[in-house]
């Protein structure tokens, strides 16, 4: 890939998590010492991750600047020998697209596990067409770059007996509650189809998010049972929760969220082996270096492969990783499962009912 960048001057590495995207930039700088290089990253912690990579592979950081996308504007009207966009989907905001028009690079490298068409257009408009190098999660597993996981799909059923939810002054079951939410989603979708606009689209998306959040919240009992099993077996694991509230409720002092005081200390304790579990939401883990993760729990899948690929990729940090994904049958969860089956080899996926697993 480094040779491909040298040949074409532009390259998008759409490589799955853990397949060595940063290594392309490091190899290019090794082959071309002394280059003025700007590397843009999502968060402050990503800067230290890159610095560690430079040290690990003994690559000089002379003339290398690493900065967050939030400060991209400071580099307006600058020119670099090598310009690197790490987690390139972060470039797709109106302001950052405008800054791109003024920041030039002789060689430009874009890195991201999953880049959609809109984000690709933003890159191409600013810098011309990018050749694309792709390494999928499936390829990474089949080539032995990524450990081969066991993905356990845990099938659950919505409770149709216990009346634990309120609706219009009456108690209803989880299944009845879900059906009420589903009606709201269908009405919002119909309204958008009949009268498409920004307002009706947002209304439809909000209704869908309410449905997804509900499914995630009522998986809490199943997730607690999985955590109990992992704790008994003294496994190191990462649990992706459906919300910050859920991460704090289940994870308590091991919750890693934007509302956790000194949350970086929690991450340090996990990587140092002082604690064996970490509870987070998907976005906060992006770009984090986590070590020795034996097991993982993904409480709620999303509707796009990017989030699923990133969550699975964060868990593949040991020789024989096992990932548990609870899903409610005959709900929208069935529609979210494709984000797993499209990215993981079929022989890595096993299906269980909750009774046989617990």
């Amino acid at each position: 890939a480094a040779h491909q960048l040298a040949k074409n001057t532009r390259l998008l590495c759409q490589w799955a998590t853990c397949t060595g995207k940063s290594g392309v930039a490091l190899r290019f700088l090794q082959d071309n010492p002394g280059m003025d290089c700007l590397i843009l990253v999502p968060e402050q912690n990503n800067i230290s991750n890159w610095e560690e990579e430079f040290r690990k592979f003994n690559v000089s950081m002379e003339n290398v600047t690493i900065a967050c996308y939030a400060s991209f504007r400071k580099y307006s009207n600058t020119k670099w020998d090598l310009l690197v966009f790490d987690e390139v989907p972060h470039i797709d905001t109106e302001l950052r697209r405008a800054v791109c028009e003024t920041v030039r690079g002789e060689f430009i490298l874009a890195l991201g596990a999953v880049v959609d068409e809109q984000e690709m257009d933003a890159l191409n408009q600013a810098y011309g067409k990018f050749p694309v190098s792709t390494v999928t999660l499936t390829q990474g597993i089949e080539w032995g770059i990524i450990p081969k996981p066991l993905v356990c799909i845990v099938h659950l059923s919505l409770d149709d007996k216990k009346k634990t939810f309120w609706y219009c002054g009456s108690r209803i079951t989880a299944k009845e509650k879900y059906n009420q939410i589903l009606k709201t989603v269908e009405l919002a979708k119909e309204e958008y189809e009949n009268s498409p606009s920004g307002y009706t689209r947002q209304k439809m998306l909000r209704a869908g998010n309410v449905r997804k959040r509900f499914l995630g919240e009522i998986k809490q009992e199943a997730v607690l049972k999985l955590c109990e099993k992992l704790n008994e077996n003294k496994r190191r694991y990462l649990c992706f929760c459906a919300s910050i509230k859920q991460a704090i409720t289940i994870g308590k002092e091991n919750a890693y969220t934007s509302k956790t005081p000194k949350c970086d200390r929690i991450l340090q304790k996990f990587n140092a082996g002082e604690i064996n579990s970490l509870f987070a939401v998907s976005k906060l883990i992006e770009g984090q270096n986590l070590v020795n993760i034996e097991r993982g729990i993904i409480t709620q899948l999303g509707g796009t492969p990017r989030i699923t690929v990133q969550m699975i990729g964060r868990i593949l940090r040991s020789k024989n990783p096992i990932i548990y994904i609870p899903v409610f049958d005959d709900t929208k969860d069935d529609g979210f499962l494709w984000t797993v089956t499209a990215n993981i080899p079929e022989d890595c996926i096993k299906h269980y009912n909750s009774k046989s697993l617990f």
Side-chain angles (χ1 to χ4, degrees), residues 195-222:
S195 181
S197 68
Y199 169 74
T200 55
R201 182 176 182 274
Q202 286 302 315
K203 187 176 178 180
M204 178 182 67
L205 292 174
R206 281 196 300 271
N209 284 333
V210 168
R211 174 180 57 189
K212 187 168 70 171
R213 189 163 56 248
F214 175 73
L215 289 172
E217 287 171 353
I218 61 175
K219 288 173 186 166
Q220 188 159 307
E221 183 179 349

Side-chain angles (χ1 to χ4, degrees), residues 28 45 94 115 130 159 183 191 214 255 263 318 322 336 347:
F28 190 81
N45 65 279
E94 188 173 342
V115 182
F130 276 66
D159 194 317
K183 287 179 183 177
E191 184 180 358
F214 175 73
C263 64
S318 66
I322 298 178
F336 293 146
D347 64 342

Side-chain angles (χ1 to χ4, degrees), residues 1 47 51 59 74 106 143 165 203 224 228 270 302 346:
I47 295 177
E51 290 172 343
V59 180
K74 289 168 53 178
E106 182 178 353
W143 296 345
F165 297 91
K203 187 176 178 180
L224 283 167
E228 184 179 340
F270 181 79
E346 187 177 351

